[in-house]
Amino acid sequence: MEPDKRYIVGIDLGTTNSAASYVDLRLDRERRKIQVFKIPQLTGPGEVSRLPVLPSFLYIPGTYDISEDAVAAPWSATASENANFPGAFARDHGSKVPARLVSSAKSWLCHSGVDRKARILPWGAGDEVYKVSPVQAAASFLEHIRITWDRYMAEEEEDRLEYQLSIITVPASFDQIARDLTAEAATMAGLRDFILLEEPLAAFYSWLATCGARWGDYVRPDDLILVCDVGGGTTDFTLIALSESEGSPRFERIAVGDHLILGGDNVDLALARRLEMRLGKRRESLSADRWKALCHQCREAKEAILDGLEDSRKIVVTGAGGKLIADTVSAVLSREEVEKTVLEGFFPLADRSETPEPKSRSGIAEFGLPYEKEPAITRHLGIFLERHREDVRKFTGRKDPVPDLLLFNGGSLKPAVVRNRIRDAIRHWFSVTAPHAPRELENPHPDLAVAIGASYYGLVKIGEGVRVGSGSPRSYFLRIASKDEKGDHIESGQAICLVERGLDEGSLVELENRQFEVLANRPVSFDIYSSSFRSGDRSGDLVHIDDTMTRLPPLRTVVQFGKKAGSQNIPVSLEASYTETGTLAIWCRSLVSNHRWKLQFQLRDDPQPEEVAESEIFDEEIVEQVLRTAKVAFDGKTDAAELQSLSKNIADIVGRPREKWPLGLIRRTADCLLDMHYARSISPRHEARWFHQTGFCLRPGFGESFDPQRTAKLWKIYKQGMRFPNHPMVRSEWWILWRRTAAGLKPGQQKQFSQDVSGILAPSKSTKTKLNPAEKMEIWMALASMELLFVKEKIRWGRLLLSELSPKKASPRHFWALSRLGARTLFHGPDDRVLVPEEVSRWIEYLLETDWPDHAPVASAISAMARRTGDRTRDIPDNLRKRIVQWLDDREGLQSHRRYLTEIVPMDAREQSAVFGESIPAGIVLKS
């Protein structure tokens, strides 16, 4: 099975360091050895060295901060045109200029709270820095490896890296979207033939490569091996068992842990927090740039101290601007302090009896990343082993999941004191006596093990070496509907297993013994679930959906069948494959034609909250009565009173006030109204009422599977404009409609809206317009709800709105609009659309210094713009926050706002409704 390649290349795309190894397949099998590709890179100004690792840091040079000669390199002529450079010099120089340094790019790939394809890194950098997206940052490291490989290793054209078989590693716990983005980064970097491999598995393959034929001296049948991989940004656990299969030993991966954004970066942050408390006399938080510089120094000090090179290190944080010397502060970081922070904070001896299983939840953001809220890695490890107790019993026959062997990997586990603590923690959790403590498998090169193991896996793919049964780390399920007595499709609590856990890469699953129907020529949604710890499910099995499954973003599409055919049910069979690149593909094959449709995961342009099940579902007869009532109201034959009382009539039918109509009911009503869009041409009254009712039933524009299709239909109405634009009530309801549904609009649509209202809110001097103040306020509120606008545009609008605020003319709605533009936590937009704190601080200072007749709406606006998030790139300065707290304390009835400035408080349902401006439909959960 010799591939048509010269090399197999293993690439570890790491959070802190990346590495590469290779095997020359032209050599005889006996002579083939895995070699480390020492990566050429800048290590100083104009200095090039070849190092075993490429630090995963990307520096974005400014116009004057670094000369072109300093970053010139032999491979620059073949590199992309931009002057960005990765590696050791990027890391070292960037620690002095942190605003231009991209770090932890891999962690950003799995952060759903931002647009991962948008230029948002370095996080918190100013407009003077030309940023890159997380995908581009990851691609830059792979591209550098490709470019330098081609220069130093490619003797012939066919030796170029793009023509080799590349194995790129990812955390085993990466979800499907993060894997797809990694594959996109590899393609962007110019790699063609690549496979994704989980990092803990690669680490174990590296151990097999190191042992060679002697691996049987260390592992016995029924032994349980725990691979504990703690890198710079992620923590991964994997369980592997050795069993007898047909008389010969076989390694099987039996469990993979959940994704944890937790690693060495968190240790650096913890050390930085400790030092920050001792730095200076004012006890104020450092600015974002000084904080980044402190974290980089703590990382360097931690590594030197734990590697035994130093017993302590002095940390110096310089001032900025005119206070470069005066504001310089320093503190000493000792070995005792480092070890105490690491062992007690991240590797404590956790007690099983006192530790409930943590729920999935985002932790406090630092540099914009939602790190795991529970920092104790040993606690996560204990929970992981408990969760897979039944899997261990099945594969080994033992009653407890205590591993026999431990393989440690990742830079965070290089210190022996940390590895010994993990062994002690496992013993403590399971009350195991010392002689039975897990034995450690030697990993001589933890920085290179994953890259070496990736190359070994490439050899396994061509029939050499020892294979570990692995495949998909999760099972994947597709929710199916059933038919009622009338033959109509109804929701079902069942799902069919498409891909069973452990399915080998490249496998195709054909569910030939089951037939399905798919609704063609109209929007449909496919609900996909995954599970990393269900066992025993096989492809084709019907299972009940329960809390062991994790819902993934739904697959939404229109299955096109026939050029002019209407909606119809098409009999299909299902196929699923776990591809060679480690991604999931699902196909529907028509049983009445040659059609075959591929279903792909929806990578949303902006993060949306997860959908939840309906809390209340009405009988279909009631729903049909509601729809008939809506149709009658807009048929043009009823009187004005009937049209005006539509909401009241529906409320009487369902026995609920309209604020409590469930999501399913209002979306069905919205569908009915969208189909009757022609009714708005009957009269101004009909158009105004249509805008009002449709906006209410479709608010906030997302939350249900087909909302993207609904807002697409609504946007066609926007392009057509109002039928009766001169009628005041029509114009008012028009703007309210777009405020209510703004969250469902795409970034380009929100930008179009912003451009269109520019001539109304900011007309040129030569343009004379008379605008009713009430209508102008509705426009401002709609515009402020467009959270996907770029920061520059929001700043322009915020400044204009602020210029119109005065004690005599300002209303509570003015302050509401301003707070939406300057909020620290957005209602639906990603964190990269939050305004910089420097700009918002100026708005807040104006509000504080002005004497307003009513302080309540001012306090609400200020608390939204000053709310603590834990992310220094979004939070306002401490001194301004103290001024706000004092301002609140000096005024009666405003103290309830204090906690949002002094604590990090997630938004509750009441606050979310206040931010939205009215009640949110039951059944929609917003991000916190």
Side-chain angles (χ1 to χ4, degrees):
M1 294 179 61
E2 295 292 325
D4 185 25
K5 316 283 182 184
R6 176 174 178 177
Y7 294 103
I8 292 172
V9 182
I11 301 176
D12 173 14
L13 181 61
T15 305
T16 305
N17 291 298
S18 296
S21 71
Y22 64 93
V23 180
D24 190 342
L25 298 178
R26 292 187 184 179
L27 300 176
D28 296 335
R29 290 196 177 193
E30 292 75 18
R31 297 170 54 204
R32 289 178 186 169
K33 292 184 178 180
I34 299 175
Q35 305 288 330
V36 173
F37 173 54
K38 293 188 176 181
I39 304 172
Q41 58 195 280
L42 290 168
T43 52
E47 175 184 296
V48 174
S49 303
R50 299 190 62 174
L51 303 179
V53 298
L54 175 75
S56 302
F57 296 83
L58 182 70
Y59 189 77
I60 303 176
T63 306
Y64 305 109
D65 72 302
I66 191 168
S67 69
E68 292 184 3
D69 292 339
V71 298
W75 55 84
S76 295
T78 60
S80 57
E81 295 182 359
N82 67 66
N84 303 345
F85 62 94
F89 185 42
R91 176 196 62 199
D92 299 340
H93 183 72
S95 65
K96 303 179 183 68
V97 193
R100 292 187 171 275
L101 183 65
V102 176
S103 60
S104 302
K106 190 167 75 171
S107 295
W108 286 93
L109 284 180
C110 57
H111 181 12
S112 62
V114 297
D115 182 350
R116 288 162 278 187
K117 295 183 181 181
R119 296 178 179 274
I120 60 174
L121 302 179
W123 184 250
D127 294 337
E128 72 280 2
V129 179
Y130 189 73
K131 303 180 183 68
V132 299
S133 72
V135 177
Q136 289 172 320
S140 68
F141 307 131
L142 296 173
E143 182 186 41
H144 182 86
I145 293 173
R146 177 183 65 79
I147 290 170
T148 53
W149 171 280
D150 291 349
R151 181 172 182 86
Y152 290 88
M153 296 291 293
E155 300 175 359
E156 306 291 341
E157 175 71 16
E158 57 267 26
D159 294 341
R160 296 168 68 88
L161 186 57
E162 62 187 294
Y163 302 124
Q164 312 312 313
L165 173 61
S166 298
I167 315 295
I168 303 172
T169 62
V170 294
S173 52
F174 253 21
D175 64 18
Q176 195 63 41
I177 294 176
R179 287 167 177 258
D180 287 344
L181 292 173
T182 304
E184 183 176 333
T187 302
M188 189 183 298
L191 301 180
R192 296 184 178 183
D193 190 2
F194 59 87
I195 295 172
L196 302 184
L197 175 67
E198 291 83 7
E199 290 167 2
L201 201 56
F204 187 71
Y205 275 127
S206 175
W207 179 80
L208 289 173
T210 301
C211 291
R214 297 182 296 104
W215 64 262
D217 296 340
Y218 305 96
V219 186
R220 297 182 296 271
D222 294 332
D223 272 353
L224 183 64
I225 305 162
L226 169 66
V227 182
C228 184
D229 188 347
V230 184
T234 57
T235 289
D236 264 317
F237 305 124
T238 292
L239 281 175
I240 297 173
L242 179 62
S243 60
E244 291 283 351
S245 177
E246 298 179 356
S248 60
R250 174 181 170 83
F251 287 106
E252 290 280 357
R253 182 180 62 186
I254 63 175
V256 175
D258 292 333
H259 182 66
L260 300 174
I261 304 183
L262 181 63
D265 289 350
N266 301 82
V267 176
D268 304 337
L269 291 167
L271 291 171
R273 289 191 202 100
R274 291 177 69 102
L275 286 188
E276 185 183 31
M277 297 297 293
R278 307 207 311 259
L279 291 172
K281 300 178 180 179
R282 290 174 295 178
R283 303 296 183 191
E284 293 181 1
S285 298
L286 298 173
S287 66
D289 284 348
R290 298 179 79 199
W291 171 251
K292 290 179 183 178
L294 174 61
C295 291
H296 284 302
Q297 290 193 61
C298 286
R299 172 182 50 78
E300 295 171 351
K302 175 197 69 178
E303 292 173 355
I305 291 173
L306 292 181
D307 287 346
L309 303 178
E310 299 178 11
D311 286 327
S312 64
R313 175 175 288 195
K314 186 176 183 180
I315 305 295
V316 179
V317 180
T318 59
K323 298 183 178 180
L324 181 65
I325 305 299
D327 279 358
T328 296
V329 291
S330 64
V332 175
L333 190 62
S334 65
R335 173 179 297 277
E336 179 182 2
E337 194 168 11
V338 171
E339 291 187 352
K340 182 178 180 180
T341 300
V342 171
L343 297 183
E344 294 184 6
F346 296 89
F347 299 96
L349 298 178
D351 193 331
R352 174 175 52 177
S353 62
E354 300 176 359
T355 308
E357 184 169 337
K359 298 178 181 179
S360 294
R361 55 188 179 181
S362 296
I364 295 173
E366 285 282 3
F367 301 141
L369 285 170
Y371 290 116
E372 182 63 34
K373 200 165 192 175
E374 170 55 72
I377 292 173
T378 45
R379 184 168 288 117
H380 288 290
L381 176 55
I383 294 169
F384 165 74
L385 293 173
E386 291 285 359
R387 178 180 292 175
H388 294 283
R389 182 182 289 269
E390 179 60 24
D391 291 314
V392 171
R393 187 199 62 76
K394 176 182 175 182
F395 278 89
T396 67
R398 67 177 63 184
K399 294 182 179 180
D400 62 72
V402 181
D404 301 287
L405 300 161
L406 294 174
L407 178 62
F408 296 111
N409 191 63
S412 297
L413 302 185
K414 286 196 293 184
V417 63
V418 176
R419 301 198 305 274
N420 290 335
R421 171 54 72 92
I422 293 176
R423 295 175 64 203
D424 293 341
I426 293 174
R427 290 195 354 257
H428 180 79
W429 183 281
F430 292 102
S431 301
V432 177
T433 55
H436 299 90
R439 307 187 307 278
E440 181 179 346
L441 296 176
E442 185 179 2
N443 182 2
H445 307 292
D447 290 332
L448 304 173
V450 168
I452 292 171
S455 288
Y456 185 89
Y457 176 72
L459 291 174
V460 170
K461 295 291 289 184
I462 63 172
E464 300 179 27
V466 179
R467 183 181 182 89
V468 178
S470 55
S472 173
R474 293 171 177 78
S475 299
Y476 291 92
F477 305 85
L478 174 66
R479 183 172 188 155
I480 60 173
S482 58
K483 287 186 176 182
D484 60 15
E485 296 178 355
K486 299 178 182 179
D488 296 326
H489 291 114
I490 58 175
E491 286 293 334
S492 167
Q494 287 189 310
I496 189 166
C497 180
L498 295 175
V499 174
E500 60 192 61
R501 203 177 77 193
L503 185 73
D504 288 337
E505 297 92 338
S507 298
L508 177 66
V509 177
E510 298 183 16
L511 306 180
E512 296 178 344
N513 61 332
R514 293 189 180 275
Q515 293 186 8
F516 305 88
E517 286 183 349
V518 64
L519 186 60
N521 301 319
R522 63 160 288 181
V524 289
S525 176
F526 297 85
D527 291 335
I528 302 294
Y529 296 82
S530 71
S531 178
S532 62
F533 56 91
R534 282 181 65 96
S535 60
D537 298 320
R538 295 291 176 260
S539 297
D541 287 354
L542 280 177
V543 300
H544 287 283
I545 298 171
D546 57 26
D547 58 6
T548 66
M549 299 178 181
T550 300
R551 188 178 184 182
L552 302 178
L555 306 175
R556 298 185 181 118
T557 188
V558 176
V559 178
Q560 300 289 354
F561 184 76
K563 293 183 178 180
K564 297 183 179 180
S567 62
Q568 57 182 302
N569 290 316
I570 306 297
V572 297
S573 64
L574 289 180
E575 300 174 359
S577 63
Y578 186 62
T579 68
E580 286 287 352
T581 56
T583 57
L584 175 66
I586 303 173
W587 301 81
C588 285
R589 182 187 294 277
S590 171
L591 298 178
V592 295
S593 66
N594 294 324
H595 291 84
R596 189 168 180 256
W597 301 276
K598 185 178 182 180
L599 310 177
Q600 295 191 358
F601 280 94
Q602 176 66 38
L603 292 181
R604 292 168 287 192
D605 293 332
D606 59 286
Q608 298 286 7
E610 293 185 3
E611 299 168 36
V612 296
E614 283 278 10
S615 58
E616 185 177 18
I617 301 175
F618 290 116
D619 182 86
E620 187 63 18
E621 290 186 7
I622 294 178
V623 176
E624 290 294 337
Q625 187 178 353
V626 169
L627 300 183
R628 286 195 300 271
T629 301
K631 290 176 182 178
V632 169
F634 285 99
D635 66 4
K637 300 176 182 179
T638 56
D639 57 22
E642 186 75 17
L643 184 64
Q644 194 66 26
S645 62
L646 176 58
S647 292
K648 179 181 181 300
N649 293 339
I650 294 177
D652 290 341
I653 293 171
V654 300
R656 302 283 190 283
R658 71 174 196 159
E659 292 78 14
K660 295 187 178 181
W661 296 349
L663 184 63
L665 176 68
I666 63 173
R667 289 305 192 260
R668 290 278 298 276
T669 307
D671 290 336
C672 176
L673 293 170
L674 287 168
D675 289 341
M676 297 183 66
H677 63 88
Y678 55 83
R680 62 194 183 92
S681 299
I682 298 174
S683 72
R685 183 179 289 105
H686 282 78
E687 183 167 37
R689 199 60 189 171
W690 190 91
F691 289 154
H692 177 89
Q693 203 70 33
T694 302
F696 181 81
C697 290
L698 195 49
R699 75 191 200 288
F702 65 82
E704 206 273 339
S705 295
F706 298 125
D707 281 350
Q709 286 75 30
R710 294 184 180 105
T711 52
K713 290 182 179 180
L714 194 64
W715 189 248
K716 293 180 181 179
I717 303 295
Y718 178 84
K719 290 183 176 180
Q720 295 169 6
M722 293 170 271
R723 292 284 186 257
F724 301 94
N726 295 324
H727 196 282
M729 184 57 69
V730 170
R731 295 184 64 84
S732 178
E733 293 293 352
W734 169 262
W735 303 119
I736 294 173
L737 167 69
W738 300 111
R739 170 179 62 79
R740 282 173 162 166
T741 59
L745 300 180
K746 296 179 180 179
Q749 293 168 337
Q750 294 193 8
K751 183 178 181 181
Q752 181 66 55
F753 183 92
S754 174
Q755 292 172 346
D756 292 344
V757 300
S758 289
I760 304 175
L761 295 179
S764 61
K765 293 182 179 179
S766 60
T767 304
K768 294 183 179 180
T769 59
K770 289 185 178 181
L771 191 61
N772 181 288
E775 181 184 349
K776 187 176 184 180
M777 191 65 256
E778 295 295 354
I779 299 174
W780 271 119
M781 294 178 71
L783 182 63
S785 300
M786 305 288 169
E787 292 185 347
L788 300 183
L789 295 176
F790 286 116
V791 168
K792 284 185 177 179
E793 201 162 2
K794 288 186 179 181
I795 290 176
R796 178 172 71 90
W797 285 121
R799 289 176 178 177
L800 178 60
L801 177 58
L802 200 65
S803 69
E804 297 182 4
L805 282 179
S806 67
K808 292 184 179 180
K809 296 182 180 179
S811 72
R813 296 195 295 173
H814 279 102
F815 295 109
W816 180 90
L818 187 68
S819 71
R820 289 294 302 271
L821 289 168
R824 301 298 84 199
T825 300
L826 300 182
F827 173 75
H828 70 275
D831 293 343
D832 51 278
R833 295 294 193 268
V834 173
L835 267 61
V836 293
E838 293 79 9
E839 176 69 25
V840 173
S841 294
R842 289 191 284 270
W843 301 3
I844 294 173
E845 287 174 350
Y846 171 75
L847 297 180
L848 292 176
E849 294 167 0
T850 304
D851 185 17
W852 305 99
D854 184 1
H855 293 113
V858 181
S860 296
I862 290 177
S863 64
M865 295 188 288
R867 188 185 192 119
R868 287 197 65 188
T869 68
D871 179 3
R872 294 169 192 250
T873 59
R874 284 187 284 157
D875 286 346
I876 65 168
D878 282 351
N879 57 352
L880 179 56
R881 185 179 291 108
K882 291 177 181 178
R883 280 184 59 195
I884 297 170
V885 171
Q886 186 61 52
W887 185 88
L888 294 171
D889 289 343
D890 291 342
R891 286 156 181 82
E892 187 177 352
L894 304 182
Q895 286 69 36
S896 61
H897 296 281
R898 292 178 92 261
R899 64 186 296 252
Y900 303 116
L901 287 87
T902 58
E903 305 174 33
I904 300 173
V905 184
M907 275 193 183
D908 57 24
R910 181 187 59 81
E911 287 182 83
Q912 290 165 353
S913 294
V915 169
F916 179 58
E918 61 183 304
S919 66
I920 299 171
I924 293 181
V925 177
L926 305 177
K927 67 176 185 178
S928 60

